[in-house]
Amino acid sequence: MTEHTPGPLAALLGAVRAAELPAVVLTLGGVTDKAAFMERCARDLDLPHWFGRNWDALADSLTELPRGTMLVVRGWQEYATTRPEEWAVAQDVLAESSGERLSVLLALDRAVN
């Protein structure tokens, strides 16, 4: 995590990592379209260079994250407001990937990139 994370969220991430579980923060501040969303996913989730930057490729890539990963999504509000249809698809992809392998938390703070 390279950006500043506010107190309660930092404490949560610290507890997750102290339990030796993987955690990653996807910071969407400044993202206003699908291309930028996919680039941010590639960067923050450390996806391979061959990541296809489409919804199916993202769904496939999420299944490759280590079991038990907590994914915290910050700063998503601007994307959700600017591109509500795309954000709905993104939420569906994240929801379908959630479960035993991945837990997704949408943070309500307004992170900037």
Side-chain angles (χ1 to χ4, degrees), residues 41-65:
C41 286
R43 182 192 78 186
D44 289 357
L45 303 178
D46 196 26
L47 299 179
H49 70 278
W50 46 261
F51 168 60
R53 287 161 178 75
N54 61 62
W55 299 119
D56 289 334
L58 179 59
D60 290 344
S61 295
L62 291 173
T63 67
E64 298 297 319
L65 293 175

Side-chain angles (χ1 to χ4, degrees), residues 13-89:
L13 290 170
V16 168
R17 291 179 175 137
E20 298 184 3
L21 295 171
V24 64
V25 177
L26 174 60
T27 302
L28 298 179
V31 169
T32 58
D33 62 22
K34 180 181 175 185
F37 176 82
M38 292 296 170
E39 285 302 318
R40 199 64 59 84
C41 286
R43 182 192 78 186
D44 289 357
L45 303 178
D46 196 26
L47 299 179
H49 70 278
W50 46 261
F51 168 60
R53 287 161 178 75
N54 61 62
W55 299 119
D56 289 334
L58 179 59
D60 290 344
S61 295
L62 291 173
T63 67
E64 298 297 319
L65 293 175
R67 185 170 300 282
T69 295
M70 175 184 279
L71 172 60
V72 177
V73 183
R74 301 181 63 211
W76 52 269
Q77 296 90 336
E78 182 178 10
Y79 183 45
T81 300
T82 305
R83 302 287 181 125
E85 298 84 12
E86 289 178 11
W87 177 241
V89 175

Side-chain angles (χ1 to χ4, degrees), residues 83-98:
R83 302 287 181 125
E85 298 84 12
E86 289 178 11
W87 177 241
V89 175
Q91 287 180 89
D92 287 344
V93 169
L94 293 172
E96 289 174 14
S97 300
S98 295

